[in-house]
Amino acid sequence: MEPIESGPYTVAYLDTAPDDGRRREIIDGGLYVTPAPSRLHQRAVGELYFRLRSACPVGLEVFVAPFDYRPTPERSLQPDVLVCSPDDHDPKHAIEPLLLAAEVVSHSSRMHDLLLKRGLYEQAGVRSYWILDPDKETLTVLELVDGVYVERDVVSGEKVFDATLPFPVQIVPVELLRER
């Protein structure tokens, strides 16, 4: 996904952008707009949010997009699901390094999520990055070690992932994708 218009754009633009259901992110002056997600994508996001929220300890918060994470004045990112640091008290958006950023890969966002956002979250000090790929029914779990993401686990199908970051919770990829 390439920036749709030349910039430079600032995060201040987002406060005046039209509310048309599309996700807008600013990365180093570029404006990235993502079309509305599919039913499968939204099901996975909702189920992941529900499972994380159900296990979330007091003092932490779980959010879904569109909720801005602004690690720098030049960047506004919107992970599909995120867990904020207990030190983050900004009322409008997250600014402290996240405990978790999770993305559900879509056809339109695959390279954006797998490459660009991975690097941006790593630079920002996001402690854990989860990538759910509905096509492969896999969850890839990356954790920050000495400032670099290390692959902790890749689970698929019915396999259980026992998370320790951002807090203890069990995630089964295929359960996030099933219709109820």
Side-chain angles (χ1 to χ4, degrees), residues 72-162:
T72 73
E74 297 79 30
R75 293 181 180 162
S76 174
L77 306 168
Q78 293 186 5
D80 288 318
V81 181
L82 59 145
V83 177
C84 292
S85 164
D87 301 326
D88 201 333
H89 301 290
D90 188 292
K92 288 186 143 186
H93 23 257
I95 56 174
E96 298 296 325
L98 301 174
L99 300 181
L100 171 67
E103 298 286 358
V104 177
V105 175
S106 296
H107 295 289
S108 64
S109 71
R110 180 169 297 281
M111 298 318 295
H112 191 69
D113 293 341
L114 296 178
L115 299 174
L116 181 61
K117 281 189 154 182
R118 175 187 171 144
L120 295 171
Y121 292 145
E122 186 177 71
Q123 287 175 4
V126 173
R127 290 189 54 199
S128 188
Y129 181 36
W130 295 1
I131 305 163
L132 179 66
D133 187 332
D135 291 340
K136 297 178 183 176
E137 296 182 345
T138 60
L139 176 68
T140 301
V141 177
L142 306 170
E143 293 181 354
L144 205 59
V145 177
D146 297 325
V148 177
Y149 278 139
V150 174
E151 190 175 282
R152 177 169 184 257
D153 208 346
V154 177
V155 294
S156 60
E158 300 283 344
K159 187 176 175 193
V160 176
F161 170 61
D162 286 305

Side-chain angles (χ1 to χ4, degrees), residues 21-87:
R22 298 186 301 167
R23 184 186 303 184
R24 288 175 170 75
E25 298 176 298
I26 304 286
I27 301 171
D28 301 333
L31 172 63
Y32 294 77
V33 179
T34 306
S38 70
R39 179 185 301 263
L40 178 61
H41 180 277
Q42 289 302 87
R43 180 183 307 124
V45 167
E47 287 296 323
L48 183 57
Y49 169 80
F50 175 76
R51 288 158 200 265
L52 287 168
R53 180 69 182 93
S54 297
C56 186
V58 173
L60 299 182
E61 288 190 276
V62 182
F63 294 102
V64 296
F67 184 72
D68 282 341
Y69 169 48
R70 296 186 178 180
T72 73
E74 297 79 30
R75 293 181 180 162
S76 174
L77 306 168
Q78 293 186 5
D80 288 318
V81 181
L82 59 145
V83 177
C84 292
S85 164
D87 301 326

